[in-house]
Amino acid sequence: MSIYGYIRVSSDKQSVENQRYEIIRFCKTENIKISDWIEETISGTKSINKRELGVLLKKINKGDLVICTELSRIGRSLFMIMEFLNICLSKECYVWTIKDNYRLGDDLTSKILAFAFGLSAEIERNLISQRTKEALARRKSEGGVLGRPKGSNILPEKNRLYKKINTIDKLRKPKMSLQKIAKRLHVSRSTLSNFLKKISNQ
């Protein structure tokens, strides 16, 4: 059995020491010891998969325990928290929080919660998908154009490089490579090359 202490702060200005102190003090009262610490400085709105928390979820096994000070350390949305707890419970891991005083494990209450979390997460995903489809349908019915504006890939005047034609001409006179010119203009070489082709075809 591995015991993980999870700490998250949203900025460098916030100290991790307060959370670490609370977890260590809690472990002493429970007579347990942290096997490994997971610390990260990242917004709680970031996807779990893009965080160290996602790495932890892949690593935990049956019987492992994750301890954090409170559920808000997991994420800033109910959906994200439910997703995390659902994965932990489906792997038969334990999740304990100190301030919230949650003890989620293999008991009946936790299994009921796991079902509720999973169902809620699925409902939330469906609602998000439905809202997106409705928004796109409404925009289309109102005459809105979906995707990039028509002509943005056809008319050179629509390209942000159009205003920099003179600069491009000056850079090309010393036979500077397209790669270097693109780098100076902060665009990719292919973007610059396509723009020049459109200009020459006019």
Side-chain angles (χ1 to χ4, degrees):
M1 174 184 175
S2 296
I3 301 175
Y4 298 95
Y6 177 72
I7 296 172
R8 181 189 66 79
V9 292
S10 56
S11 70
D12 291 329
K13 293 179 181 178
Q14 293 178 300
S15 172
V16 301
E17 295 308 314
N18 288 340
Q19 291 180 51
R20 183 189 292 274
Y21 172 75
E22 285 189 51
I23 294 175
I24 291 175
R25 186 176 63 174
F26 172 78
C27 287
K28 284 182 179 179
T29 61
E30 297 290 328
N31 197 27
I32 56 178
K33 187 177 180 180
I34 297 294
S35 308
D36 192 14
W37 291 94
I38 293 85
E39 300 177 13
E40 55 184 347
T41 302
I42 194 169
S43 169
T45 59
K46 286 285 184 181
S47 169
I48 289 177
N49 293 329
K50 296 180 180 178
R51 293 160 50 187
E52 291 299 318
L53 193 59
V55 177
L56 172 63
L57 282 177
K58 293 177 181 178
K59 185 164 56 174
I60 56 177
N61 297 304
K62 181 179 179 179
D64 287 348
L65 169 62
V66 179
I67 302 175
C68 59
T69 55
E70 53 191 321
L71 282 180
S72 63
R73 295 299 96 201
I74 303 300
R76 284 300 182 185
S77 73
L78 180 59
F79 171 69
M80 191 177 296
I81 293 171
M82 288 190 302
E83 180 185 11
F84 171 80
L85 294 176
N86 185 46
I87 293 173
C88 287
L89 293 175
S90 65
K91 285 192 168 190
E92 297 184 44
C93 298
Y94 302 88
V95 180
W96 292 0
T97 63
I98 300 171
K99 292 182 180 179
D100 307 317
N101 196 30
Y102 286 117
R103 300 288 186 273
L104 301 177
D106 58 2
D107 59 300
L108 179 60
T109 301
S110 295
K111 289 178 180 178
I112 294 173
L113 283 174
F115 173 77
F117 290 146
L119 181 62
S120 299
E122 183 178 349
I123 292 172
E124 180 66 15
R125 281 194 296 270
N126 291 336
L127 287 174
I128 291 172
S129 175
Q130 188 62 35
R131 284 196 295 267
T132 301
K133 289 177 182 177
E134 289 174 354
L136 291 173
R138 184 170 60 253
R139 185 176 176 186
K140 187 176 181 180
S141 68
E142 293 173 352
V145 179
L146 303 180
R148 292 184 177 183
K150 290 182 179 179
S152 62
N153 293 327
I154 301 174
L155 299 175
E157 291 85 353
K158 298 290 185 180
N159 196 300
R160 58 176 174 166
L161 292 175
Y162 188 76
K163 295 180 181 180
K164 299 180 180 180
I165 290 179
N166 293 333
T167 302
I168 295 172
D169 286 338
K170 289 178 182 178
L171 294 174
R172 293 183 74 189
K173 285 178 181 178
K175 293 186 178 181
M176 182 181 289
S177 69
L178 289 183
Q179 184 66 37
K180 289 183 179 179
I181 296 174
K183 188 175 182 180
R184 185 169 294 191
L185 296 175
H186 305 292
V187 296
S188 67
R189 186 189 183 285
S190 60
T191 297
L192 176 61
S193 178
N194 290 335
F195 172 72
L196 293 174
K197 286 178 183 177
K198 290 174 184 178
I199 291 293
S200 63
N201 291 333
Q202 276 193 318

